[in-house]
Amino acid sequence: MASAANACSPSFSAANSSVSKPKALSDFYLRFRNINALSLRSKRVGLPVLSFSRIRSPRISASSPQVMDQSVGEASSKAPTIVEVDLGNRSYPIYIGSGLLDQPELLQRHVHGKRVLVVTNNTVAPLYLDKVVDALTRGNPNVSVDSVILPDGEKYKNMETLMKVFDKAIESRLDRRCTFVALGGGVIGDMCGFAAAAFLRGVNFIQIPTTVMAQVDSSVGGKTGINHPLGKNLIGAFYQPQCVLIDTDTLNTLPDRELASGLAEVIKYGLIRDAGFFEWQEKNMPKLMARDPSAMAYAIKRSCENKAEVVSLDEKESGLRATLNLGHTFGHAIETGFGYGQWLHGEAVAAGTVMAVDMSYRLGWIDDSIVKRVHNILEQAKLPTAPPETMTVEMFKSVMAVDKKVADGLLRLILLKGPLGNCVFTGDYDRKALDDTLCAFCKS
Ligand SMILES: NC(=O)c1ccc[n+]([C@@H]2O[C@H](COP(=O)([O-])OP(=O)(O)OC[C@H]3O[C@@H](n4cnc5c(N)ncnc54)[C@H](O)[C@@H]3O)[C@@H](O)[C@H]2O)c1
Ligand SMILES: [Zn+2]
């Protein structure tokens, strides 16, 4: 079960078992007891589906999240684990497992019409495009597949590259009954999803994420878009896919640095809402770094469960969903100030998380054991625990001033508060703590 304060609610204390005095409406004091209400039920595709029972009313939960499965979990090469994103008639399954691209029926049941456009890039295409085309067409001769191979990199996540997708779709005379398939990391998923949302005002869309970042975060939840020269992800749409297919075998070719970058988001879920998952990560980080298939599958599943639950409670980010941005305000300043492409997104988020945790401690909202544990786990994941030395207080402040979470001139931040697994989204904090954190992490 999950309990959460949302945008419509007064705020709540994070203290165990108690509801304290109401505070400013801009605050979201969040406390969850999640995941332990997973239930098995049959879905339209006739497979067992993990689903969440949801509580929409804001309520305080007295206990910390519990880990449903302390073992590393099952990584069967046959039956996929299925996590359902519960969004009414736009609900969809996330299939997770090894060898899923060798199970054509999983993909084919979500293809609409007879025409498919696979959107990928020049790194991923040589690795997996043939496999995906085979999965789409095997035993299914009526389906024809086109593909568009985009240049690789965040710097191509723009209007010009997006236009190449539309060019291909129009030249191929695709109609409204076609399906777009995103094959790649978060950049491809965000761009293909936005193209699917806009082409003919919306066509069917499937995500096949191939990075840890995309498998645990970006492919789930329907945020799609491109960058503008003046800012990241400024143009986009909420557009949910028909399914997300995560073949964990695709991670075998992922560079180490990209793997670690994705783990920053995995760690985030533990910190903001799932203490049991954080504890599991503390024990299993060496396995994740060694790409142990079972550990990786479990971390992906658990991350998807957390993301699916947050998204199903707050799809359009009126409050709760913002908590998924722990460390991102500081991190975004690092990405912008230091230049896109120098640090990977997850690396910037890791350093940003350390800064958010430092500030939470200065405010007296968490104890120092959490500060130490965050440092330890990020070090285990070989992620940065401080911003680049060239970052100045002014660089942070200028980027943070235009952050999307500024409301009425007030910068709202996601900060930890209370026992491990609890956070707040708030503009109600002592400005001195923010200044002190910036000074502590910058030389000038
Ligand atoms: N929509 C969302 O909710 C959301 C959430 C988080 C991040 N994002 C976006 O995701 C993007 C970052 O995603 P990312 O970290 O996946 O970066 P990415 O898409 O650039 O992929 C990282 C690199 O790995 C390569 N690659 C991908 N799969 C591979 C594989 N299996 N083997 C070998 N190489 C592979 C890519 O070609 C690329 O060079 C950013 O643009 C960010 O804004 C979106
Ligand atoms: Zn992120």
Side-chain angles (χ1 to χ4, degrees):
M1 254 183 294
S3 306
N6 67 18
C8 309
S9 71
S11 58
F12 298 102
S13 155
N16 249 356
S17 323
S18 67
V19 180
S20 76
K21 61 186 186 304
K23 293 207 143 179
L25 276 171
S26 61
D27 294 359
F28 300 89
Y29 282 68
L30 308 168
R31 178 156 195 84
F32 307 95
R33 192 179 60 193
N34 59 335
I35 309 303
N36 51 356
L38 287 166
S39 64
L40 280 172
R41 65 185 162 94
S42 258
K43 267 297 264 203
R44 54 187 182 276
V45 294
L47 290 162
V49 172
L50 285 168
S51 76
F52 301 98
S53 29
R54 287 178 295 150
I55 292 184
R56 288 204 175 270
S57 58
R59 197 163 67 81
I60 301 299
S61 159
S63 66
S64 295
Q66 290 163 13
V67 175
M68 189 177 72
D69 180 2
Q70 288 285 357
S71 75
V72 143
E74 301 298 316
S76 158
S77 63
K78 288 287 166 262
T81 297
I82 306 176
V83 176
E84 180 83 356
V85 184
D86 194 350
L87 289 167
N89 60 8
R90 286 172 299 108
S91 298
Y92 55 93
I94 306 166
Y95 303 112
I96 305 166
S98 162
L100 298 194
L101 286 175
D102 296 319
Q103 298 185 37
E105 71 284 359
L106 285 178
L107 268 186
Q108 289 180 14
R109 64 166 70 107
H110 297 287
V111 170
H112 291 176
K114 296 179 177 162
R115 306 287 307 275
V116 176
L117 180 65
V118 179
V119 179
T120 187
N121 72 23
N122 52 11
T123 303
V124 178
L127 298 169
Y128 302 111
L129 181 56
D130 286 351
K131 218 173 170 48
V132 168
V133 172
D134 180 59
L136 287 161
T137 54
R138 202 189 313 163
N140 200 13
N142 291 335
V143 164
S144 75
V145 181
D146 289 283
S147 59
V148 55
I149 299 174
L150 305 176
D152 182 7
E154 180 78 30
K155 69 174 178 203
Y156 297 108
K157 191 178 161 183
N158 58 25
M159 199 57 98
E160 197 188 332
T161 313
L162 185 72
M163 209 46 83
K164 291 189 201 303
V165 180
F166 296 133
D167 291 349
K168 183 71 187 181
I170 295 164
E171 282 161 19
S172 307
R173 300 185 190 286
L174 299 187
D175 63 23
R176 282 214 169 111
R177 289 269 300 154
C178 73
T179 297
F180 281 18
V181 174
L183 171 65
V187 169
I188 287 293
D190 281 12
M191 270 201 291
C192 177
F194 188 38
F199 182 61
L200 304 177
R201 298 198 181 84
V203 295
N204 191 40
F205 165 48
I206 291 172
Q207 288 265 21
I208 306 181
T210 60
T211 62
V212 175
M213 175 67 65
Q215 295 184 354
V216 302
D217 197 343
S218 65
S219 68
V220 176
K223 275 195 188 176
T224 72
I226 55 171
N227 301 329
H228 185 275
L230 297 179
K232 204 167 138 67
N233 296 332
L234 290 184
I235 301 160
F238 285 100
Y239 198 65
Q240 301 292 347
Q242 198 70 19
C243 77
V244 180
L245 186 136
I246 298 175
D247 186 333
T248 51
D249 294 349
T250 58
L251 298 181
N252 294 338
T253 53
L254 195 67
D256 286 343
R257 204 175 148 198
E258 298 289 350
L259 181 106
S261 172
L263 292 178
E265 308 281 10
V266 175
I267 292 166
K268 165 190 84 179
Y269 293 117
L271 287 173
I272 61 169
R273 70 193 310 270
D274 193 346
F277 186 29
F278 188 87
E279 282 155 13
W280 178 88
Q281 291 168 33
E282 289 181 311
K283 293 192 194 95
N284 289 281
M285 191 52 76
K287 284 187 179 165
L288 293 176
M289 294 300 282
R291 300 171 192 236
D292 176 290
S294 300
M296 197 55 89
Y298 180 75
I300 293 166
K301 164 180 161 279
R302 190 86 175 165
S303 298
C304 287
E305 286 166 349
N306 274 294
K307 177 113 190 220
E309 185 162 314
V310 169
V311 167
S312 66
L313 289 165
D314 179 23
E315 184 185 4
K316 300 275 171 74
E317 196 163 313
S318 49
L320 174 63
R321 189 168 177 169
T323 61
L324 296 173
N325 290 317
L326 175 71
H328 282 60
T329 302
F330 296 105
H332 186 205
I334 295 168
E335 287 180 277
T336 310
F338 201 53
Y340 290 113
Q342 302 268 356
W343 275 29
L344 301 179
H345 175 67
E347 293 169 342
V349 166
T353 299
V354 173
M355 296 176 78
V357 168
D358 176 86
M359 186 173 156
S360 308
Y361 176 66
R362 284 175 198 277
L363 288 163
W365 292 356
I366 55 172
D367 67 48
D368 66 344
S369 68
I370 296 182
V371 181
K372 287 187 190 125
R373 289 170 78 177
V374 170
H375 268 266
N376 285 344
I377 201 158
L378 292 173
E379 274 164 11
Q380 276 200 70
K382 300 206 173 358
L383 284 163
T385 52
E389 290 192 350
T390 47
M391 287 296 292
T392 64
V393 172
E394 264 328 295
M395 285 160 85
F396 271 105
K397 284 193 169 169
S398 65
V399 179
M400 289 165 87
V402 293
D403 189 274
K404 276 180 256 175
K405 289 179 289 301
V406 172
D408 298 327
L410 186 70
L411 175 63
R412 292 174 297 167
L413 289 169
I414 295 92
L415 297 164
L416 302 187
K417 189 165 191 173
L420 185 72
N422 293 277
C423 68
V424 294
F425 173 40
T426 183
D428 186 10
Y429 53 80
D430 183 351
R431 294 291 167 277
K432 186 171 178 310
L434 175 57
D435 288 341
D436 289 349
T437 292
L438 292 177
C439 288
F441 283 91
C442 300
K443 287 196 170 136
S444 60

